PDB file of all heavy atoms in Angstrom:
ATOM      1  N   PRO A   1       4.122  15.910  12.100  1.00 94.00           N
ATOM      2  CA  PRO A   1       4.115  17.381  12.119  1.00 94.00           C
ATOM      3  C   PRO A   1       3.261  17.909  13.275  1.00 94.00           C
ATOM      4  O   PRO A   1       2.108  17.525  13.445  1.00 94.00           O
ATOM      5  CB  PRO A   1       3.495  17.744  10.764  1.00 94.00           C
ATOM      6  CG  PRO A   1       3.817  16.586   9.876  1.00 94.00           C
ATOM      7  CD  PRO A   1       3.763  15.376  10.776  1.00 94.00           C
ATOM      8  N   GLY A   2       3.857  18.736  14.082  1.00 91.00           N
ATOM      9  CA  GLY A   2       3.160  19.283  15.243  1.00 91.00           C
ATOM     10  C   GLY A   2       3.304  18.434  16.486  1.00 91.00           C
ATOM     11  O   GLY A   2       3.037  18.909  17.591  1.00 91.00           O
ATOM     12  N   SER A   3       3.702  17.168  16.333  1.00 92.00           N
ATOM     13  CA  SER A   3       3.933  16.263  17.478  1.00 92.00           C
ATOM     14  C   SER A   3       5.206  15.462  17.207  1.00 92.00           C
ATOM     15  O   SER A   3       5.160  14.264  16.913  1.00 92.00           O
ATOM     16  CB  SER A   3       2.746  15.326  17.688  1.00 92.00           C
ATOM     17  OG  SER A   3       1.552  16.035  17.910  1.00 92.00           O
ATOM     18  N   PRO A   4       6.360  16.101  17.280  1.00 92.00           N
ATOM     19  CA  PRO A   4       7.613  15.452  16.879  1.00 92.00           C
ATOM     20  C   PRO A   4       7.995  14.241  17.727  1.00 92.00           C
ATOM     21  O   PRO A   4       8.811  13.428  17.292  1.00 92.00           O
ATOM     22  CB  PRO A   4       8.647  16.570  17.016  1.00 92.00           C
ATOM     23  CG  PRO A   4       8.035  17.555  17.980  1.00 92.00           C
ATOM     24  CD  PRO A   4       6.563  17.487  17.736  1.00 92.00           C
ATOM     25  N   ASP A   5       7.430  14.116  18.928  1.00 94.00           N
ATOM     26  CA  ASP A   5       7.750  12.973  19.784  1.00 94.00           C
ATOM     27  C   ASP A   5       6.861  11.759  19.504  1.00 94.00           C
ATOM     28  O   ASP A   5       7.015  10.718  20.140  1.00 94.00           O
ATOM     29  CB  ASP A   5       7.625  13.356  21.258  1.00 94.00           C
ATOM     30  CG  ASP A   5       8.653  14.393  21.668  1.00 94.00           C
ATOM     31  OD1 ASP A   5       9.748  14.414  21.063  1.00 94.00           O
ATOM     32  OD2 ASP A   5       8.367  15.181  22.593  1.00 94.00           O
ATOM     33  N   MET A   6       5.912  11.896  18.579  1.00 95.00           N
ATOM     34  CA  MET A   6       5.019  10.807  18.208  1.00 95.00           C
ATOM     35  C   MET A   6       5.272  10.394  16.763  1.00 95.00           C
ATOM     36  O   MET A   6       5.783  11.170  15.955  1.00 95.00           O
ATOM     37  CB  MET A   6       3.551  11.222  18.378  1.00 95.00           C
ATOM     38  CG  MET A   6       3.182  11.691  19.773  1.00 95.00           C
ATOM     39  SD  MET A   6       3.284  10.387  21.019  1.00 95.00           S
ATOM     40  CE  MET A   6       1.802   9.436  20.587  1.00 95.00           C
ATOM     41  N   ALA A   7       4.909   9.152  16.439  1.00 96.00           N
ATOM     42  CA  ALA A   7       5.058   8.639  15.074  1.00 96.00           C
ATOM     43  C   ALA A   7       3.778   7.924  14.672  1.00 96.00           C
ATOM     44  O   ALA A   7       2.979   7.497  15.530  1.00 96.00           O
ATOM     45  CB  ALA A   7       6.249   7.684  14.992  1.00 96.00           C
ATOM     46  N   LEU A   8       3.577   7.784  13.361  1.00 96.00           N
ATOM     47  CA  LEU A   8       2.423   7.061  12.828  1.00 96.00           C
ATOM     48  C   LEU A   8       2.873   5.666  12.402  1.00 96.00           C
ATOM     49  O   LEU A   8       3.655   5.516  11.458  1.00 96.00           O
ATOM     50  CB  LEU A   8       1.819   7.810  11.632  1.00 96.00           C
ATOM     51  CG  LEU A   8       1.102   9.118  11.949  1.00 96.00           C
ATOM     52  CD1 LEU A   8       0.568   9.749  10.665  1.00 96.00           C
ATOM     53  CD2 LEU A   8      -0.038   8.896  12.937  1.00 96.00           C
ATOM     54  N   ALA A   9       2.378   4.656  13.113  1.00 95.00           N
ATOM     55  CA  ALA A   9       2.737   3.266  12.839  1.00 95.00           C
ATOM     56  C   ALA A   9       1.606   2.577  12.089  1.00 95.00           C
ATOM     57  O   ALA A   9       0.426   2.744  12.428  1.00 95.00           O
ATOM     58  CB  ALA A   9       3.024   2.530  14.145  1.00 95.00           C
ATOM     59  N   SER A  10       1.955   1.796  11.095  1.00 95.00           N
ATOM     60  CA  SER A  10       0.953   1.107  10.290  1.00 95.00           C
ATOM     61  C   SER A  10       0.246   0.030  11.099  1.00 95.00           C
ATOM     62  O   SER A  10       0.865  -0.733  11.837  1.00 95.00           O
ATOM     63  CB  SER A  10       1.604   0.472   9.057  1.00 95.00           C
ATOM     64  OG  SER A  10       0.683  -0.347   8.364  1.00 95.00           O
ATOM     65  N   MET A  11      -1.085  -0.059  10.941  1.00 95.00           N
ATOM     66  CA  MET A  11      -1.889  -1.104  11.565  1.00 95.00           C
ATOM     67  C   MET A  11      -2.046  -2.320  10.659  1.00 95.00           C
ATOM     68  O   MET A  11      -2.688  -3.298  11.042  1.00 95.00           O
ATOM     69  CB  MET A  11      -3.289  -0.563  11.892  1.00 95.00           C
ATOM     70  CG  MET A  11      -3.308   0.613  12.836  1.00 95.00           C
ATOM     71  SD  MET A  11      -4.969   1.347  12.967  1.00 95.00           S
ATOM     72  CE  MET A  11      -5.864   0.048  13.817  1.00 95.00           C
ATOM     73  N   GLY A  12      -1.493  -2.253   9.458  1.00 93.00           N
ATOM     74  CA  GLY A  12      -1.698  -3.341   8.503  1.00 93.00           C
ATOM     75  C   GLY A  12      -3.094  -3.351   7.922  1.00 93.00           C
ATOM     76  O   GLY A  12      -3.595  -4.391   7.500  1.00 93.00           O
ATOM     77  N   ILE A  13      -3.733  -2.177   7.887  1.00 97.00           N
ATOM     78  CA  ILE A  13      -5.075  -2.029   7.314  1.00 97.00           C
ATOM     79  C   ILE A  13      -4.974  -1.095   6.116  1.00 97.00           C
ATOM     80  O   ILE A  13      -4.471   0.025   6.241  1.00 97.00           O
ATOM     81  CB  ILE A  13      -6.067  -1.456   8.343  1.00 97.00           C
ATOM     82  CG1 ILE A  13      -6.167  -2.382   9.557  1.00 97.00           C
ATOM     83  CG2 ILE A  13      -7.442  -1.242   7.725  1.00 97.00           C
ATOM     84  CD1 ILE A  13      -7.031  -1.834  10.678  1.00 97.00           C
ATOM     85  N   TYR A  14      -5.440  -1.567   4.955  1.00 98.00           N
ATOM     86  CA  TYR A  14      -5.322  -0.790   3.727  1.00 98.00           C
ATOM     87  C   TYR A  14      -6.666  -0.754   3.001  1.00 98.00           C
ATOM     88  O   TYR A  14      -7.351  -1.772   2.918  1.00 98.00           O
ATOM     89  CB  TYR A  14      -4.281  -1.403   2.789  1.00 98.00           C
ATOM     90  CG  TYR A  14      -2.979  -1.768   3.451  1.00 98.00           C
ATOM     91  CD1 TYR A  14      -2.623  -3.109   3.643  1.00 98.00           C
ATOM     92  CD2 TYR A  14      -2.101  -0.785   3.896  1.00 98.00           C
ATOM     93  CE1 TYR A  14      -1.429  -3.455   4.255  1.00 98.00           C
ATOM     94  CE2 TYR A  14      -0.899  -1.127   4.510  1.00 98.00           C
ATOM     95  CZ  TYR A  14      -0.567  -2.465   4.682  1.00 98.00           C
ATOM     96  OH  TYR A  14       0.619  -2.795   5.293  1.00 98.00           O
ATOM     97  N   VAL A  15      -7.016   0.408   2.453  1.00 98.00           N
ATOM     98  CA  VAL A  15      -8.208   0.542   1.620  1.00 98.00           C
ATOM     99  C   VAL A  15      -7.782   0.932   0.203  1.00 98.00           C
ATOM    100  O   VAL A  15      -7.001   1.880   0.026  1.00 98.00           O
ATOM    101  CB  VAL A  15      -9.181   1.597   2.186  1.00 98.00           C
ATOM    102  CG1 VAL A  15     -10.328   1.845   1.207  1.00 98.00           C
ATOM    103  CG2 VAL A  15      -9.736   1.143   3.535  1.00 98.00           C
ATOM    104  N   PHE A  16      -8.279   0.175  -0.777  1.00 98.00           N
ATOM    105  CA  PHE A  16      -8.017   0.436  -2.192  1.00 98.00           C
ATOM    106  C   PHE A  16      -9.334   0.421  -2.952  1.00 98.00           C
ATOM    107  O   PHE A  16     -10.299  -0.214  -2.514  1.00 98.00           O
ATOM    108  CB  PHE A  16      -7.162  -0.666  -2.826  1.00 98.00           C
ATOM    109  CG  PHE A  16      -5.785  -0.856  -2.285  1.00 98.00           C
ATOM    110  CD1 PHE A  16      -5.557  -1.662  -1.172  1.00 98.00           C
ATOM    111  CD2 PHE A  16      -4.694  -0.275  -2.916  1.00 98.00           C
ATOM    112  CE1 PHE A  16      -4.277  -1.876  -0.700  1.00 98.00           C
ATOM    113  CE2 PHE A  16      -3.404  -0.488  -2.452  1.00 98.00           C
ATOM    114  CZ  PHE A  16      -3.193  -1.290  -1.340  1.00 98.00           C
ATOM    115  N   GLU A  17      -9.351   1.054  -4.109  1.00 98.00           N
ATOM    116  CA  GLU A  17     -10.359   0.694  -5.100  1.00 98.00           C
ATOM    117  C   GLU A  17      -9.918  -0.632  -5.706  1.00 98.00           C
ATOM    118  O   GLU A  17      -8.735  -0.837  -5.987  1.00 98.00           O
ATOM    119  CB  GLU A  17     -10.503   1.773  -6.171  1.00 98.00           C
ATOM    120  CG  GLU A  17     -11.255   2.990  -5.694  1.00 98.00           C
ATOM    121  CD  GLU A  17     -11.844   3.796  -6.846  1.00 98.00           C
ATOM    122  OE1 GLU A  17     -11.956   3.247  -7.965  1.00 98.00           O
ATOM    123  OE2 GLU A  17     -12.202   4.970  -6.615  1.00 98.00           O
ATOM    124  N   THR A  18     -10.860  -1.531  -5.907  1.00 98.00           N
ATOM    125  CA  THR A  18     -10.512  -2.890  -6.319  1.00 98.00           C
ATOM    126  C   THR A  18      -9.738  -2.922  -7.629  1.00 98.00           C
ATOM    127  O   THR A  18      -8.745  -3.652  -7.761  1.00 98.00           O
ATOM    128  CB  THR A  18     -11.788  -3.746  -6.435  1.00 98.00           C
ATOM    129  OG1 THR A  18     -12.523  -3.656  -5.213  1.00 98.00           O
ATOM    130  CG2 THR A  18     -11.449  -5.193  -6.716  1.00 98.00           C
ATOM    131  N   ALA A  19     -10.178  -2.147  -8.590  1.00 97.00           N
ATOM    132  CA  ALA A  19      -9.504  -2.142  -9.892  1.00 97.00           C
ATOM    133  C   ALA A  19      -8.058  -1.683  -9.755  1.00 97.00           C
ATOM    134  O   ALA A  19      -7.145  -2.257 -10.376  1.00 97.00           O
ATOM    135  CB  ALA A  19     -10.265  -1.250 -10.872  1.00 97.00           C
ATOM    136  N   ALA A  20      -7.830  -0.661  -8.951  1.00 97.00           N
ATOM    137  CA  ALA A  20      -6.465  -0.163  -8.756  1.00 97.00           C
ATOM    138  C   ALA A  20      -5.613  -1.186  -8.022  1.00 97.00           C
ATOM    139  O   ALA A  20      -4.428  -1.384  -8.353  1.00 97.00           O
ATOM    140  CB  ALA A  20      -6.503   1.159  -7.983  1.00 97.00           C
ATOM    141  N   LEU A  21      -6.194  -1.846  -7.017  1.00 98.00           N
ATOM    142  CA  LEU A  21      -5.457  -2.880  -6.290  1.00 98.00           C
ATOM    143  C   LEU A  21      -5.035  -4.007  -7.231  1.00 98.00           C
ATOM    144  O   LEU A  21      -3.884  -4.468  -7.196  1.00 98.00           O
ATOM    145  CB  LEU A  21      -6.311  -3.434  -5.154  1.00 98.00           C
ATOM    146  CG  LEU A  21      -5.736  -4.644  -4.402  1.00 98.00           C
ATOM    147  CD1 LEU A  21      -4.405  -4.289  -3.739  1.00 98.00           C
ATOM    148  CD2 LEU A  21      -6.725  -5.172  -3.366  1.00 98.00           C
ATOM    149  N   ALA A  22      -5.955  -4.449  -8.075  1.00 97.00           N
ATOM    150  CA  ALA A  22      -5.636  -5.530  -9.015  1.00 97.00           C
ATOM    151  C   ALA A  22      -4.483  -5.126  -9.926  1.00 97.00           C
ATOM    152  O   ALA A  22      -3.577  -5.932 -10.210  1.00 97.00           O
ATOM    153  CB  ALA A  22      -6.876  -5.875  -9.836  1.00 97.00           C
ATOM    154  N   GLU A  23      -4.490  -3.883 -10.373  1.00 97.00           N
ATOM    155  CA  GLU A  23      -3.412  -3.399 -11.248  1.00 97.00           C
ATOM    156  C   GLU A  23      -2.069  -3.426 -10.529  1.00 97.00           C
ATOM    157  O   GLU A  23      -1.057  -3.873 -11.085  1.00 97.00           O
ATOM    158  CB  GLU A  23      -3.741  -1.980 -11.712  1.00 97.00           C
ATOM    159  CG  GLU A  23      -2.732  -1.380 -12.668  1.00 97.00           C
ATOM    160  CD  GLU A  23      -3.133   0.020 -13.108  1.00 97.00           C
ATOM    161  OE1 GLU A  23      -4.343   0.302 -13.197  1.00 97.00           O
ATOM    162  OE2 GLU A  23      -2.214   0.828 -13.350  1.00 97.00           O
ATOM    163  N   HIS A  24      -2.051  -2.981  -9.269  1.00 97.00           N
ATOM    164  CA  HIS A  24      -0.801  -2.980  -8.493  1.00 97.00           C
ATOM    165  C   HIS A  24      -0.312  -4.405  -8.233  1.00 97.00           C
ATOM    166  O   HIS A  24       0.900  -4.676  -8.305  1.00 97.00           O
ATOM    167  CB  HIS A  24      -0.995  -2.239  -7.180  1.00 97.00           C
ATOM    168  CG  HIS A  24      -1.060  -0.746  -7.327  1.00 97.00           C
ATOM    169  ND1 HIS A  24      -0.004   0.008  -7.788  1.00 97.00           N
ATOM    170  CD2 HIS A  24      -2.075   0.133  -7.079  1.00 97.00           C
ATOM    171  CE1 HIS A  24      -0.350   1.284  -7.815  1.00 97.00           C
ATOM    172  NE2 HIS A  24      -1.598   1.390  -7.391  1.00 97.00           N
ATOM    173  N   LEU A  25      -1.221  -5.305  -7.938  1.00 96.00           N
ATOM    174  CA  LEU A  25      -0.819  -6.684  -7.656  1.00 96.00           C
ATOM    175  C   LEU A  25      -0.271  -7.365  -8.903  1.00 96.00           C
ATOM    176  O   LEU A  25       0.708  -8.123  -8.826  1.00 96.00           O
ATOM    177  CB  LEU A  25      -2.012  -7.460  -7.092  1.00 96.00           C
ATOM    178  CG  LEU A  25      -2.493  -7.041  -5.702  1.00 96.00           C
ATOM    179  CD1 LEU A  25      -3.754  -7.805  -5.322  1.00 96.00           C
ATOM    180  CD2 LEU A  25      -1.406  -7.267  -4.650  1.00 96.00           C
ATOM    181  N   ARG A  26      -0.881  -7.123 -10.035  1.00 96.00           N
ATOM    182  CA  ARG A  26      -0.389  -7.733 -11.279  1.00 96.00           C
ATOM    183  C   ARG A  26       0.988  -7.179 -11.643  1.00 96.00           C
ATOM    184  O   ARG A  26       1.871  -7.916 -12.091  1.00 96.00           O
ATOM    185  CB  ARG A  26      -1.400  -7.500 -12.398  1.00 96.00           C
ATOM    186  CG  ARG A  26      -2.710  -8.261 -12.202  1.00 96.00           C
ATOM    187  CD  ARG A  26      -3.646  -8.077 -13.381  1.00 96.00           C
ATOM    188  NE  ARG A  26      -4.914  -8.785 -13.161  1.00 96.00           N
ATOM    189  CZ  ARG A  26      -6.089  -8.188 -13.077  1.00 96.00           C
ATOM    190  NH1 ARG A  26      -6.190  -6.866 -13.209  1.00 96.00           N
ATOM    191  NH2 ARG A  26      -7.188  -8.903 -12.883  1.00 96.00           N
ATOM    192  N   ARG A  27       1.157  -5.880 -11.450  1.00 96.00           N
ATOM    193  CA  ARG A  27       2.469  -5.287 -11.716  1.00 96.00           C
ATOM    194  C   ARG A  27       3.522  -5.877 -10.797  1.00 96.00           C
ATOM    195  O   ARG A  27       4.622  -6.265 -11.230  1.00 96.00           O
ATOM    196  CB  ARG A  27       2.396  -3.762 -11.525  1.00 96.00           C
ATOM    197  CG  ARG A  27       3.748  -3.059 -11.643  1.00 96.00           C
ATOM    198  CD  ARG A  27       3.698  -1.645 -11.076  1.00 96.00           C
ATOM    199  NE  ARG A  27       3.163  -1.609  -9.723  1.00 96.00           N
ATOM    200  CZ  ARG A  27       3.850  -1.974  -8.651  1.00 96.00           C
ATOM    201  NH1 ARG A  27       5.096  -2.418  -8.760  1.00 96.00           N
ATOM    202  NH2 ARG A  27       3.291  -1.896  -7.446  1.00 96.00           N
ATOM    203  N   ASP A  28       3.184  -5.997  -9.516  1.00 94.00           N
ATOM    204  CA  ASP A  28       4.140  -6.514  -8.541  1.00 94.00           C
ATOM    205  C   ASP A  28       4.484  -7.980  -8.823  1.00 94.00           C
ATOM    206  O   ASP A  28       5.627  -8.409  -8.607  1.00 94.00           O
ATOM    207  CB  ASP A  28       3.564  -6.367  -7.127  1.00 94.00           C
ATOM    208  CG  ASP A  28       4.555  -6.774  -6.059  1.00 94.00           C
ATOM    209  OD1 ASP A  28       5.530  -6.030  -5.837  1.00 94.00           O
ATOM    210  OD2 ASP A  28       4.362  -7.852  -5.451  1.00 94.00           O
ATOM    211  N   ALA A  29       3.508  -8.747  -9.290  1.00 92.00           N
ATOM    212  CA  ALA A  29       3.755 -10.167  -9.564  1.00 92.00           C
ATOM    213  C   ALA A  29       4.778 -10.368 -10.669  1.00 92.00           C
ATOM    214  O   ALA A  29       5.438 -11.416 -10.746  1.00 92.00           O
ATOM    215  CB  ALA A  29       2.442 -10.850  -9.937  1.00 92.00           C
ATOM    216  N   GLU A  30       4.937  -9.370 -11.522  1.00 92.00           N
ATOM    217  CA  GLU A  30       5.907  -9.468 -12.615  1.00 92.00           C
ATOM    218  C   GLU A  30       7.301  -9.012 -12.206  1.00 92.00           C
ATOM    219  O   GLU A  30       8.263  -9.188 -12.963  1.00 92.00           O
ATOM    220  CB  GLU A  30       5.418  -8.629 -13.803  1.00 92.00           C
ATOM    221  CG  GLU A  30       4.130  -9.158 -14.428  1.00 92.00           C
ATOM    222  CD  GLU A  30       3.613  -8.264 -15.536  1.00 92.00           C
ATOM    223  OE1 GLU A  30       4.250  -7.210 -15.783  1.00 92.00           O
ATOM    224  OE2 GLU A  30       2.579  -8.616 -16.152  1.00 92.00           O
ATOM    225  N   GLU A  31       7.410  -8.424 -11.014  1.00 91.00           N
ATOM    226  CA  GLU A  31       8.710  -7.971 -10.517  1.00 91.00           C
ATOM    227  C   GLU A  31       9.443  -9.143  -9.859  1.00 91.00           C
ATOM    228  O   GLU A  31       9.031  -9.638  -8.814  1.00 91.00           O
ATOM    229  CB  GLU A  31       8.531  -6.835  -9.500  1.00 91.00           C
ATOM    230  CG  GLU A  31       7.961  -5.554 -10.074  1.00 91.00           C
ATOM    231  CD  GLU A  31       9.002  -4.783 -10.869  1.00 91.00           C
ATOM    232  OE1 GLU A  31      10.206  -5.067 -10.703  1.00 91.00           O
ATOM    233  OE2 GLU A  31       8.607  -3.909 -11.656  1.00 91.00           O
ATOM    234  N   THR A  32      10.529  -9.579 -10.455  1.00 89.00           N
ATOM    235  CA  THR A  32      11.244 -10.746  -9.920  1.00 89.00           C
ATOM    236  C   THR A  32      11.895 -10.457  -8.575  1.00 89.00           C
ATOM    237  O   THR A  32      12.124 -11.374  -7.777  1.00 89.00           O
ATOM    238  CB  THR A  32      12.322 -11.204 -10.910  1.00 89.00           C
ATOM    239  OG1 THR A  32      13.201 -10.096 -11.200  1.00 89.00           O
ATOM    240  CG2 THR A  32      11.680 -11.688 -12.210  1.00 89.00           C
ATOM    241  N   SER A  33      12.191  -9.184  -8.287  1.00 90.00           N
ATOM    242  CA  SER A  33      12.862  -8.838  -7.033  1.00 90.00           C
ATOM    243  C   SER A  33      11.892  -8.586  -5.889  1.00 90.00           C
ATOM    244  O   SER A  33      12.318  -8.354  -4.750  1.00 90.00           O
ATOM    245  CB  SER A  33      13.725  -7.592  -7.239  1.00 90.00           C
ATOM    246  OG  SER A  33      12.925  -6.489  -7.649  1.00 90.00           O
TER     247      SER A  33
END
């Protein structure tokens, strides 16, 4: 927004609260797909 010729590319850097991250990882581990 405001710079339509630019994009935001991921650096592969993520910040989580540890408890929330653990919950997401456990949920994802149960997803067979």
Side-chain angles (χ1 to χ4, degrees):
S3 302
D5 294 331
M6 303 294 286
L8 290 180
S10 172
M11 300 171 68
I13 300 175
Y14 313 109
V15 173
F16 297 86
E17 285 202 18
T18 307
L21 173 61
E23 182 179 329
H24 286 296
L25 292 175
R26 292 184 182 117
R27 174 196 52 76
D28 185 72
E30 295 176 358
E31 294 284 343
T32 56
S33 60

